[in-house]
Amino acid sequence: QVQLVESGGGMVQTGDSLRLSCAASGRTFDSYTMGWFRQAPGKEREFVAAVSRSGTSTYYADSVKGRFTISRDNAKNTVYLQMNNLKREDTANYYCAADRSPLWPSLKRDGYDYWGPGTQVTVSS
């Protein structure tokens, strides 16, 4: 089992950058595909980005491609989401998730086994 805790959210203006972090407990962090999802008020939780177990492969939602970068440091049991050129529509609660299956890419919410409590990102103009 793995426990996840996100950090780094906040209130920023359009065009600004933020870096989210997700710290994982446990000794088997590198056996999980890691993903970021987000949920805006009144909307379903949606996929944002995923990184493979080794960190060599990444996958992004079209809405964030070219602006967001997912990465991981297996030595630190941490996954990151660098968010640049933020837009108002990026406002949401951002969740880190871990998927223990070998499926790649892992895009569906139901495919992830463990979730963090989330961190809020608010982008204003």
Side-chain angles (χ1 to χ4, degrees), residues 29-122:
F29 178 69
D30 59 0
S31 66
Y32 295 91
T33 291
M34 299 300 297
W36 286 96
F37 287 73
R38 66 187 182 185
Q39 187 168 17
K43 295 188 176 182
E44 293 191 355
R45 194 170 299 188
E46 64 175 5
F47 171 80
V48 175
V51 60
S52 62
R53 298 172 179 183
S54 65
T56 55
S57 297
T58 56
Y59 198 92
Y60 298 93
D62 287 342
S63 58
V64 306
K65 202 173 295 183
R67 300 188 297 121
F68 290 11
T69 303
I70 188 172
S71 61
R72 67 190 295 164
D73 186 338
N74 286 343
K76 295 183 178 180
N77 280 14
T78 302
V79 61
Y80 305 98
L81 185 68
Q82 177 67 43
M83 306 186 294
N84 297 330
N85 190 22
L86 282 160
K87 304 177 180 181
R88 289 189 64 182
E89 52 263 42
D90 295 318
T91 294
N93 205 8
Y94 283 72
Y95 298 89
C96 169
D99 177 3
R100 60 190 174 190
S101 80
L103 177 68
W104 177 261
S106 184
L107 310 181
K108 296 187 181 295
R109 174 183 174 179
D110 291 347
Y112 284 80
D113 303 288
Y114 304 105
W115 293 83
T119 185
Q120 178 68 35
V121 172
T122 302

